[in-house]
Amino acid sequence: FTEKTMEGEGKKPGGYDVCYVVPIKPAKKEESKPFVSEVKDERSEMEKMKEDLRDWKVARLEKKVGEEGFEELYEDCKEEWSEWLPLLAVRVKHLEKKLSKAGEVGEGGEGGEDADVPPPLPSAVSKSSLLSSITDVVALIDQDALAIWNGTKHDSTDGHVSKKKKEMDRQKKILEDVLGRKCLALMGEEGFDEAVSELKKWVKVEGNDKFAALEIESLKSKGLYGSVLKVVKKLGEGEGTKGGLKEYKKADLLKVKGEVLKELGWEWLGEHEKKWEIIEGMKDYQAF
């Protein structure tokens, strides 16, 4: 409410100075790293060089995962470092990727109807090798010692403790990864639930995008289709699954959603999602 006699009524305020003060951008606070006591490196220069070479070879080998020529390079490395966990873990990734590719082609291969000899089953052979490799990796990890370490408080300023922590963290990460790939290999088969239970001892699967494929399969096997739709919605376009056990693109998630909708008896919604699946799955478009 204003009175008509009030100065400035119906006019521009003219005569009033307005001053803006732009504050200085606050300095970014640097997080102070806790002091860690130094530990003298007792390794000789030759030992350092050999370990650097080993790490370089394993890193290069990881870039060949799923490709031809991997096994030859792997066997060469294995001659020197047969029980080096990162090396064995890389082979598990390789076998799992090969198994995945075989699954995309089809378990029965390319044999025709009139073929006298049944087509080979590369996926079955790969699965046996994969599960055997996983068993080898798990056998090299002292799970009791790892559980005790993770359940105990440690002095983070002690250099010896810090060094051991890096090794224990590496073992735990490898254990989680290979157990996850074991679950992936057993999806839809007997032993899947047991494998998931084993994995859950070390990492939370629910809500973890890296293990989204396992969560979806577990919920589907229990008939919890509403929960599957909730997980699919949370994953969005699948960005969070990159680097996980199984990467989902938007088209993949639409396919899962469509299958679940049909299971629920909502075929018309499933057909709608299938149309979008085709559009989202296009790798290229026709020019004008």
Side-chain angles (χ1 to χ4, degrees), residues 41 43-59 81 84:
D41 194 342
R43 297 176 301 169
S44 67
E45 289 300 320
M46 182 61 73
E47 288 174 326
K48 291 178 184 178
M49 186 178 70
K50 285 183 177 180
E51 290 185 12
D52 287 344
L53 180 61
R54 175 199 63 195
D55 295 342
W56 179 82
K57 280 191 172 184
V58 172
W81 311 294
W84 180 238

Side-chain angles (χ1 to χ4, degrees), residues 64-288:
K64 296 287 291 181
V65 164
E67 299 180 9
E68 294 297 325
F70 175 92
E71 289 293 342
E72 183 181 352
L73 296 173
Y74 169 76
E75 290 299 331
D76 180 70
C77 293
K78 191 179 177 183
E79 286 182 7
E80 292 187 71
W81 311 294
S82 60
E83 295 189 352
W84 180 238
L85 276 175
L87 175 62
L88 301 180
V90 168
R91 185 165 188 263
V92 170
K93 289 182 182 179
H94 170 73
L95 293 174
E96 191 274 322
K97 194 165 185 177
K98 296 287 282 186
L99 174 63
S100 178
K101 286 181 179 179
E104 290 175 5
V105 173
E107 293 186 6
E110 298 244 343
E113 292 181 2
D114 299 328
D116 295 327
V117 180
L121 297 174
S123 59
V125 175
S126 297
K127 186 173 294 186
S128 174
S129 301
L130 172 62
L131 294 175
S132 176
S133 294
I134 290 172
T135 301
D136 292 342
V137 174
V138 174
L140 289 174
I141 298 175
D142 188 339
Q143 295 186 51
D144 290 337
L146 190 59
I148 293 171
W149 171 269
N150 283 283
T152 308
K153 294 288 185 181
H154 302 281
D155 181 6
S156 59
T157 63
D158 188 328
H160 294 283
V161 171
S162 180
K163 187 176 180 180
K164 188 173 181 180
K165 182 180 184 302
K166 289 181 181 178
E167 174 58 27
M168 287 300 192
D169 287 347
R170 177 170 59 189
Q171 288 188 26
K172 185 172 183 289
K173 185 178 179 181
I174 289 174
L175 182 62
E176 291 172 2
D177 187 75
V178 297
L179 290 179
R181 294 182 193 281
K182 179 180 180 180
C183 296
L184 208 58
L186 293 173
M187 280 175 62
E189 299 182 13
E190 185 179 352
F192 172 75
D193 291 334
E194 184 181 345
V196 172
S197 296
E198 188 179 359
L199 174 64
K200 285 182 177 180
K201 294 177 183 178
W202 301 101
V203 65
K204 184 178 179 182
V205 173
E206 294 81 1
N208 190 333
D209 289 355
K210 179 180 179 180
F211 302 104
L214 305 183
E215 184 177 9
I216 289 173
E217 178 64 24
S218 183
L219 292 170
K220 284 171 69 175
S221 66
K222 296 173 184 176
L224 302 175
Y225 298 117
S227 296
V228 175
L229 293 177
K230 186 177 179 181
V231 172
V232 170
K233 182 179 179 181
K234 173 184 169 292
L235 291 174
E237 297 191 0
E239 290 292 325
T241 63
K242 288 182 179 179
L245 291 180
K246 182 177 180 180
E247 181 179 340
Y248 282 104
K249 295 181 180 178
K250 190 172 182 180
D252 300 323
L253 293 171
L254 287 171
K255 183 178 180 180
V256 173
K257 187 177 180 181
E259 292 171 350
V260 170
L261 290 172
K262 285 187 177 181
E263 287 290 338
L264 291 170
W266 300 339
E267 286 84 359
W268 60 279
L269 276 175
E271 289 299 322
H272 174 75
E273 295 298 333
K274 190 173 182 179
K275 292 176 182 177
W276 276 106
E277 179 192 332
I278 296 171
I279 295 172
E280 293 293 340
M282 286 185 179
K283 296 180 180 179
D284 198 5
Y285 294 89
Q286 184 177 355
F288 298 101

Side-chain angles (χ1 to χ4, degrees), residues 30-36 156-157:
E30 294 184 4
E31 295 184 5
S32 57
K33 295 182 179 179
F35 170 78
V36 180
S156 59
T157 63

